[in-house]
Amino acid sequence: EVFVEIAEVPWLQHPFDASKMSFASGGLQGTVASISFSTRRSTGVRFELPGPFTAGPLEVQVFPSETGLESAATLVLDVLVDPTPELLDSFPARGDSDQAHTFVFKVGHVPPSASLSDFRSEMELESGDRIALTVLAAQPLMDETCSHVVCSLFEVRVLSPESNPDGALWPGQTTLHVLINGADLTVGFEYVASGSPVVLSSE
């Protein structure tokens, strides 16, 4: 949705008739969805531009319907590329080799309609082999009004094997993968020998 305040146009009387104002962009032309206000100084209008769009500048004209494009005011919108999925946070970073662990990931910029079945997780061993992990939950954290990847945020909980697949008493570094919407997000996890200090929580 685009909101534009335009000056030097005829003052419209309330109740506003949306057909009095129009817009045009990329060969598309139509009347605005609504008129928010109109004074002797300026008029505010709202309308939606149907996509998809190519990233870069997008020129839009707004004008009184009666006078047409010849009296249009022009604005240029900067169309941005949609952000790709991003791993924003993960916990824990290390844990005992002889225990199972629940990993908590904060994943942003995924489709707001994503559900548990859309997420997968894997652990990459020292050998380079990857084993599937169990995704326990995928909880949306964004406001319910969020309808775009720009604002989306999920908490994903994943269960590890009962012990380090490379050996229950074997310390070492492994890589965790979170797979969603074609993206492979990675973070390191360190298995430590049982009894080594481990952070249980952080804020």
Side-chain angles (χ1 to χ4, degrees):
E1 184 181 60
V2 180
F3 171 78
V4 178
E5 182 179 4
I6 180 173
E8 303 298 332
V9 295
W11 176 27
L12 303 176
Q13 298 294 322
H14 192 274
F16 303 125
D17 180 359
S19 68
K20 297 292 186 180
M21 295 295 296
S22 296
F23 70 94
S25 178
L28 173 70
Q29 184 170 324
T31 56
V32 301
S34 65
I35 298 174
S36 302
F37 64 86
S38 185
T39 67
R40 297 183 187 277
R41 176 180 176 276
S42 63
T43 294
V45 300
R46 295 183 184 274
F47 55 91
E48 291 191 1
L49 290 173
F53 304 109
T54 302
L58 176 67
E59 194 172 276
V60 182
Q61 290 82 35
V62 182
F63 52 92
S65 301
E66 290 184 356
T67 55
L69 279 168
E70 291 184 359
S71 60
T74 300
L75 70 149
V76 178
L77 304 177
D78 188 12
V79 179
L80 304 178
V81 176
D82 286 347
T84 56
E86 181 180 2
L87 184 58
L88 301 174
D89 191 22
S90 67
F91 184 84
R94 63 201 303 257
D96 285 345
S97 290
D98 61 351
Q99 295 182 12
H101 302 280
T102 298
F103 304 115
V104 180
F105 304 106
K106 297 288 179 63
V107 184
H109 309 316
V110 302
S113 59
S115 62
L116 178 65
S117 62
D118 294 313
F119 290 89
R120 293 189 296 117
S121 186
E122 297 175 347
M123 177 181 286
E124 186 174 344
L125 310 181
E126 288 188 348
S127 64
D129 294 334
R130 289 164 66 155
I131 62 172
L133 303 181
T134 301
V135 180
L136 301 173
Q139 178 68 35
L141 300 180
M142 64 282 190
D143 188 274
E144 62 182 12
T145 60
C146 175
S147 61
H148 195 274
V149 294
V150 170
C151 54
S152 70
L153 177 65
F154 281 79
E155 179 181 274
V156 182
R157 292 181 174 269
V158 174
L159 182 64
S160 77
E162 293 183 357
S163 61
N164 182 357
D166 285 319
L169 302 178
W170 187 262
Q173 190 76 21
T174 186
T175 302
L176 304 175
H177 296 256
V178 178
L179 300 102
I180 173 66
N181 206 35
D184 186 349
L185 313 176
T186 62
V187 65
F189 176 77
E190 181 185 7
Y191 276 117
V192 298
S194 181
S196 299
V198 175
V199 175
L200 297 179
S201 64
S202 66
E203 299 218 358

